[in-house]
Amino acid sequence: MLLRNPLRAQILQRVPRRQTRWSSLSQRPGSDRVHFPGAVSSKFTTKLSFEHPSTHPAMPTYRVMDSDGVVVDESRKPSGISNEEIVTWYRNMLTVSIMDLIMFDAQRQGRLSFYMVSAGEEGIAIGSASALVPEDVIFCQYRETGVFKQRGFALSDFMNQLFANCKDAGKGRNMPVHYGSGKLNIHTISSPLATQIPQAAGAAYALKIQALQNPDVPPRVVACYFGEGAASEGDFHAALNIAATRSCPVVFICRNNGYAISTSTLEQYRGDGIASRGIGYGIDTIRVDGNDIFAVREVTKEARRMALEDGGKPVLIEAMSYRVSHHSTSDDSFAYRAKVEVEDWKRRDNPITRLRKWMQHQGMWDEEKEKEARSQIRKDVLKAFAEAEKEKKAPLRDMFTDVYEDLTEESRGHMKELGRLLDDYPEEYDVNEFEGGRKGLSEP
Amino acid sequence: MDYSSHPLLNHSPSSLRANASYPQSSSFTRQNLFQAINSALKHSLRTDERTLVFGEDVAFGGVFRCSMDLATEFGSERVFNTPLSEQGIVGFAIGCAAQGMKPIAEIQFADYVYPAFDQLVNEAAKWRYREGDTGGHIGGLVVRMPCGSVGHGALYHSQSPEALFTHIPGLRVVLPRSPARAKGLLLASIACNDPVIFLEPKILYRAAVEQVPTEAYEIPLSQAEVVKEGKDMTIVSYGQPLYLCSSAIAAAEKDFGISVELLDLQTLYPWDKQTVLQSVQKTGRAIVVHESMINAGVGAEVAASIQEGAFLHLEAPVQRLGGWATHMGLAFESFNIPDVTSKLLR
Ligand SMILES: Cc1ncc(C[n+]2csc(CCOP(=O)(O)OP(=O)(O)O)c2C)c(N)n1
Ligand SMILES: [Mg+2]
């Protein structure tokens, strides 16, 4: 009876968590629409015509300023942001880029095992992170150093992780750049690509349920970063679909930098980027110019707001940029792309240069400030570097701890056995770099 | 196999009372395996608002009825259907757990857990380790899945993939033998602060019926149970084959006048080596029995550990008995799983 009332039926359709999206009532005779459960309002047609992706225009890319730092549409100029805040973003971008240069070289000198830079993508990380609140939960891929910086990860935190020393929260277990911080609500980065995406959906669902169960906690979202290459993994598709069906307050942020190691986007997918997929999953989606920090911030802020609407829903952002650098210290990208291509991009556009130009137009930045900032940041990075490099590694016991909440009998046995080996063959192992040396293997 | 009078099941409250695993003051009710699982899920949903139950077709009760009526009682926010994607289900569950919830995810058949293998092995198992001092962990995650042969499941509705998970530090692998064991072990798994893979022998869902305490109780993980004491030989097993072992023991004790000890591992990893070694040190002989393939199975680990830890007590080589190293061809199922014949006549 209720469903026969059109108004009531409409209301029911708008309730986001209705279990059935179609009524079991039989179709009205002469209806112009398909009434299949799997496609609720598809019109009948007698025209035999396939949809051609090429006839759909590419999704537009939102921007606020052009590559010269000039606001394109005065009505959309940045507002409500203090100059200090903008300078902080700028300094954070500079910090990431200066740290990247230093650490890349340090790896080349053999002082750390591995490194990945974010050159060209600093604006995506810092712009998006600036739009989140500290309580929001973040999952990263690995090229989001700026997210950590913007949220307050200290230079010493970066360096302790990079040198896998005893002050690293990850206890020296993870490869460099796999940062994590409980305090900053950023889960530790994991190497297998895309695994964090369905996890982000689940985490967002947890936040949603917790907000329902405890209305006193302010609503939170999850932000989840990944590359356009990672978006080919099954986990990406599983994640968007489950986030949509469970109405999870999660903002998916795809960094489309044109490459997945050597694989260009042409070999990665044939659709209109990653953004077009969001539509297929029923997810509100936007494409943004990743070199425009104002645009990235604005879009993320709006996405965050939308994600909390109607009891929660996912939003997809595709942030376009170019991977200026090699994939990692293990990669030489000139084996698969021309140097001029990279030089071209570097000249044409860069998120840091763009913001600097904008700040100069505003009269809030100049050559002198630039020089002063760069030299101060460089000094700070090198100081943190030197301090972290001389720290000991975590104690040997941390090789075995945290596999389970408590050490198992099996692990105790293995620790004893390793201890015996260290005692019997002291010349075979160097335990001195580790806190407590041989003693660091025993339980505290 | 006649479960209706099998001595391994508690057919009367008195046998439950004789077992210290169970709450002595509780009332009892006759339940099959899916009902006992359902009771455990219900208890957790009722007493802990962090608990969520989800998976494919879970909302209407699940294809094996384990989640029956839960969506009605606890609402579609906490008990719900997911899209058909095992990697999505487990990834989603890990995320829920990472954010402090207690997700109990169902994989419809253990045969279909492989799309989620990466999430389990690379993510769930390593979460606490890679988080280190950040304090992050996913304790609270339980992934349930029906396993094992039913006689007509063929290649993809018969598998028991426990050995793929017992190789993975960071995961706990539990496989109960009966309704009453399942309830206590599932509640312990939900309470546990490590991720748990909980395998349920699906042949027992309806077939195994016994008295189960109505109260909630936990049976500690990583502890084997001495199901029956004996002097001359130890049989180590878990799950459904325990019924075969028990019947075979009864026959052998009668025919050969020997006395056989029967152990139920219950938790397959990290497992209770001590109880097994103690038993073998006493009896001097051991057979390990499981339904899954013999190659690199749980039996290999148990046998090797016995050889390492009780060698001087052994009177005979440790024997392993399991499925042949082939797939579960539909027409050949009865030849492929351990039975009383293959066990006794070796
Ligand atoms: C499951 C998995 N397969 C392969 C790799 C190896 N790998 C590391 S990064 C990478 C490319 C990822 O590209 P993209 O997602 O576009 O991110 P970008 O490096 O461009 O930031 C590959 C193939 C991996 N880490 N995980
Ligand atoms: Mg890329």
Side-chain angles (χ1 to χ4, degrees):
Chain A
M1 264 322 274
L2 280 176
L3 284 175
R4 253 185 251 283
N5 174 339
L7 190 67
R8 171 72 184 169
Q10 254 181 16
I11 292 168
L12 281 179
Q13 265 192 356
R14 261 190 270 126
V15 174
R17 48 189 178 77
R18 249 175 76 73
Q19 283 292 312
T20 42
R21 56 203 286 242
W22 58 290
S23 115
S24 56
L25 295 179
S26 59
Q27 193 155 349
R28 255 186 304 116
S31 169
D32 66 337
R33 267 147 226 277
V34 180
H35 214 83
F36 296 118
V40 283
S41 69
S42 167
K43 274 194 180 167
F44 287 121
T45 176
T46 53
K47 193 171 133 209
L48 198 163
S49 135
F50 289 82
E51 287 293 320
H52 299 291
S54 56
T55 61
H56 292 258
M59 250 195 237
T61 302
Y62 179 72
R63 60 154 53 175
V64 170
M65 54 178 169
D66 64 16
S67 51
D68 292 320
V70 175
V71 170
V72 184
D73 173 355
E74 270 301 311
S75 75
R76 300 225 54 97
K77 71 170 186 229
S79 66
I81 318 164
S82 70
N83 285 358
E84 292 83 75
E85 202 175 345
I86 294 170
V87 169
T88 307
W89 301 344
Y90 184 70
R91 289 186 69 102
N92 284 345
M93 288 204 285
L94 271 189
T95 304
V96 171
S97 110
I98 290 169
M99 181 166 78
D100 277 355
L101 289 175
I102 292 173
M103 299 322 285
F104 193 90
D105 287 347
Q107 194 280 337
R108 286 288 184 260
Q109 295 163 15
R111 294 166 80 174
L112 72 159
S113 56
F114 176 80
Y115 194 73
M116 298 177 101
V117 308
S118 325
E121 296 175 60
E122 300 92 338
I124 298 176
I126 288 159
S128 58
S130 78
L132 302 170
V133 305
E135 292 75 25
D136 290 338
V137 173
I138 296 184
F139 288 80
C140 288
Q141 181 160 310
Y142 48 66
R143 214 181 292 287
E144 297 90 4
T145 302
V147 170
F148 282 85
K149 180 72 191 104
Q150 177 67 22
R151 277 176 95 84
F153 209 60
L155 286 174
S156 56
D157 295 328
F158 285 114
M159 293 299 158
N160 291 334
Q161 200 285 330
L162 292 170
F163 285 107
N165 69 27
C166 61
K167 291 187 165 162
D168 164 29
K171 305 192 185 184
R173 291 166 179 156
N174 305 303
M175 276 177 82
V177 312
H178 291 55
Y179 312 114
S181 171
K183 202 176 67 199
L184 302 177
N185 287 315
I186 315 179
H187 289 291
T188 300
I189 291 166
S190 161
S191 297
L193 287 169
T195 50
Q196 79 278 17
I197 316 178
Q199 292 164 4
Y205 193 71
L207 298 185
K208 168 179 163 144
I209 296 295
Q210 287 159 2
L212 283 175
Q213 291 172 342
N214 183 358
D216 296 338
V217 294
R220 309 196 269 163
V221 303
V222 171
C224 177
Y225 295 84
F226 51 91
E228 89 292 341
S232 291
E233 293 279 359
D235 272 346
F236 164 86
H237 298 273
L240 265 68
N241 197 34
I242 202 166
T245 53
R246 293 313 300 170
S247 308
C248 303
V250 52
V251 180
F252 295 116
I253 304 175
C254 177
R255 298 178 289 98
N256 190 334
N257 59 10
Y259 285 94
I261 309 187
S262 73
T263 304
S264 71
T265 50
L266 191 66
E267 297 166 300
Q268 194 68 247
Y269 55 75
R270 279 300 154 94
D272 179 22
I274 307 306
S276 62
R277 299 178 196 172
I279 308 305
Y281 287 109
I283 291 178
D284 295 341
T285 300
I286 195 164
R287 176 174 281 154
V288 64
D289 181 347
N291 288 338
D292 180 341
I293 194 168
F294 290 122
V296 173
R297 174 192 161 87
E298 199 185 355
V299 153
T300 312
K301 216 170 164 180
E302 178 60 7
R304 184 184 187 280
R305 189 191 63 73
M306 288 159 65
L308 290 170
E309 259 176 6
D310 308 330
K313 62 180 168 195
V315 181
L316 172 63
I317 298 172
E318 182 181 26
M320 312 307 288
S321 71
Y322 182 82
R323 198 195 77 210
V324 170
S325 62
H326 303 305
H327 169 70
S328 72
T329 49
S330 314
D331 174 49
D332 173 8
S333 66
F334 301 131
Y336 52 82
R337 63 179 180 183
K339 216 164 184 159
V340 299
E341 177 188 318
V342 181
E343 290 309 319
D344 235 35
W345 259 100
K346 273 179 154 166
R347 225 184 351 263
R348 196 179 331 153
D349 200 3
N350 175 289
I352 300 180
T353 321
R354 247 205 239 190
L355 183 60
R356 180 166 67 241
K357 286 180 178 166
W358 183 90
M359 294 197 306
Q360 281 167 350
H361 298 324
Q362 305 297 306
M364 55 191 270
W365 199 255
D366 54 32
E367 206 45 50
E368 197 175 328
K369 285 193 168 124
E370 176 75 12
K371 248 168 83 184
E372 195 273 332
R374 282 183 180 271
S375 102
Q376 185 59 48
I377 290 167
R378 208 181 136 74
K379 251 188 256 160
D380 293 345
V381 171
L382 290 174
K383 182 161 167 280
F385 181 117
E387 279 169 10
E389 196 180 26
K390 62 171 191 268
E391 289 289 343
K392 294 229 174 207
K393 307 269 176 237
L396 282 174
R397 84 176 75 88
D398 283 337
M399 176 177 166
F400 295 98
T401 54
D402 300 333
V403 175
Y404 295 95
E405 184 176 31
D406 300 311
L407 267 180
T408 59
E409 276 312 307
E410 183 178 45
S411 286
R412 287 210 172 82
H414 291 174
M415 287 167 80
K416 230 168 105 186
E417 184 59 14
L418 176 58
R420 190 186 63 73
L421 284 169
L422 297 181
D423 293 340
D424 290 355
Y425 304 97
E427 65 290 348
E428 297 292 329
Y429 300 93
D430 184 7
V431 297
N432 292 320
E433 320 176 55
F434 297 88
E435 204 175 60
R438 163 70 178 86
K439 282 206 189 72
L441 184 58
S442 36
E443 285 176 58
Chain B
M1 175 65 55
D2 178 14
Y3 294 99
S4 66
S5 59
H6 201 287
L8 221 51
L9 292 163
N10 298 302
H11 297 290
S12 74
S14 62
S15 65
L16 270 183
R17 291 221 173 80
N19 189 324
S21 315
Y22 303 115
Q24 296 301 306
S25 57
S26 175
S27 55
F28 304 96
T29 176
R30 270 173 65 80
Q31 285 187 320
N32 62 25
L33 181 61
F34 81 67
Q35 292 164 330
I37 300 278
N38 183 269
S39 297
L41 296 175
K42 193 178 285 185
H43 174 79
S44 181
L45 283 160
R46 194 171 282 156
T47 54
D48 193 336
E49 67 172 10
R50 296 172 300 171
T51 301
L52 305 171
V53 173
F54 53 84
E56 293 157 15
D57 307 300
V58 157
F60 91 112
V63 294
F64 291 107
R65 316 312 292 142
C66 294
S67 50
M68 208 152 76
D69 297 334
L70 299 180
T72 318
E73 181 169 352
F74 300 101
S76 61
E77 303 288 357
R78 296 180 66 203
V79 181
F80 53 86
N81 288 343
T82 64
L84 216 168
S85 168
E86 289 73 18
Q87 65 198 95
I89 292 168
V90 175
F92 187 91
I94 290 171
C96 289
Q99 233 44 62
M101 301 302 279
K102 285 188 156 288
I104 306 174
E106 179 175 294
I107 299 295
Q108 204 161 69
F109 290 86
D111 311 61
Y112 306 127
V113 70
Y114 309 118
F117 203 56
D118 184 47
Q119 285 286 351
L120 290 167
V121 173
N122 272 332
E123 297 295 319
K126 294 171 178 60
W127 197 280
R128 185 187 287 278
Y129 193 77
R130 79 173 181 234
E131 287 285 352
D133 281 338
T134 70
H137 69 86
I138 52 160
L141 172 69
V142 178
V143 182
R144 296 175 39 245
M145 61 194 86
C147 68
S149 143
V150 292
H152 53 262
L155 281 71
Y156 303 111
H157 296 85
S158 305
Q159 297 175 42
S160 260
E162 64 273 13
L164 297 173
F165 297 110
T166 58
H167 190 59
I168 310 301
L171 297 179
R172 292 187 182 271
V173 185
V174 179
L175 202 160
R177 70 166 187 272
S178 78
R181 304 313 288 175
K183 182 172 177 182
L185 286 166
L186 182 52
L187 285 172
S189 299
I190 296 167
C192 177
N193 255 337
D194 300 310
V196 180
I197 309 281
F198 196 86
L199 295 122
E200 299 163 6
K202 61 177 165 299
I203 196 167
L204 305 180
Y205 274 139
R206 284 166 194 278
V209 182
E210 69 176 338
Q211 297 288 341
V212 179
T214 45
E215 257 178 33
Y217 56 98
E218 291 177 18
I219 297 177
L221 302 187
S222 293
Q223 281 185 24
E225 189 193 16
V226 181
V227 175
K228 176 193 168 301
E229 290 193 22
K231 294 196 302 286
D232 305 316
M233 181 199 282
T234 301
I235 296 182
V236 183
S237 188
Y238 54 89
Q240 195 279 338
L242 283 162
Y243 296 90
L244 300 160
C245 295
S246 169
S247 303
I249 288 169
E253 290 190 337
K254 194 158 138 263
D255 293 353
F256 308 122
I258 55 167
S259 146
V260 182
E261 185 146 301
L262 181 59
L263 304 189
D264 178 0
L265 279 182
Q266 306 191 103
T267 298
L268 312 183
Y269 195 73
W271 62 288
D272 184 359
K273 201 182 284 186
Q274 202 161 354
T275 299
V276 173
L277 292 183
Q278 264 168 12
S279 173
V280 180
Q281 282 162 5
K282 178 178 74 176
T283 62
R285 291 182 180 81
I287 305 179
V288 195
V289 184
H290 50 68
E291 180 179 313
S292 193
M293 296 80 73
I294 200 83
N295 52 302
V298 169
E301 179 69 19
V302 174
S305 299
I306 292 173
Q307 182 272 132
E308 278 166 9
F311 185 70
L312 294 178
H313 298 83
L314 284 177
E315 312 259 359
V318 181
Q319 300 281 319
R320 286 181 296 159
L321 223 131
W324 310 120
T326 181
H327 309 295
M328 193 66 88
L330 181 68
F332 313 115
E333 288 196 26
S334 57
F335 300 91
N336 199 15
I337 49 169
D339 58 29
V340 176
T341 317
S342 65
K343 177 169 188 36
L344 274 180
L345 301 185
R346 274 170 70 113

